[in-house]
């Protein structure tokens, strides 16, 4: 499960960096690499990154509870 979390996070970071490029320079790296925004490979990458984002949303409660537990433990 830890490997899946790491892969999802890495793909989410890659997607975020792509959005940074789009926002700053209007340059879509995924589209350039895979043949345009409507190319099937680009769409697959977009879908995978979106699914990773949804998966990482499910991780938020675990991260938050771990942070609360860690800060509580260190204060004792």
């Amino acid at each position: 499960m830890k490997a899946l979390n790491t892969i999802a996070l890495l793909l989410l970071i890659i997607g975020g960096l792509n959005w940074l490029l789009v926002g700053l320079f209007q340059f879509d790296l995924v589209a350039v690499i895979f043949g345009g925004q409507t190319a099937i490979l680009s769409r697959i990458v977009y879908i995978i990154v979106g699914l990773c984002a949804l998966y990482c949303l499910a991780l938020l409660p675990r991260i938050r509870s771990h942070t609360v537990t860690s800060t509580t433990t260190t204060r004792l």
Side-chain angles (χ1 to χ4, degrees):
M1 195 65 138
K2 186 176 179 180
L4 181 62
N5 294 349
T6 303
I7 291 168
L9 183 59
L10 287 174
L11 287 173
L12 191 57
I13 290 169
I14 290 168
L17 292 174
N18 188 57
W19 276 110
L20 177 67
L21 290 172
V22 170
L24 291 176
F25 307 112
Q26 296 180 353
F27 179 75
D28 189 345
L29 185 61
V30 172
V32 169
I33 291 172
F34 295 108
Q37 288 183 336
T38 58
I40 190 69
L41 287 175
S42 293
R43 294 185 60 171
I44 290 170
V45 170
Y46 296 139
I47 290 168
I48 290 171
V49 170
L51 290 173
C52 288
L54 291 174
Y55 178 79
C56 286
L57 277 174
L59 296 177
L60 280 177
R62 283 195 255 165
I63 292 170
R64 189 165 183 206
S65 68
H66 178 70
T67 304
V68 169
T69 304
S70 296
T71 56
T72 304
T73 306
T74 56
R75 290 182 183 175
L76 294 176

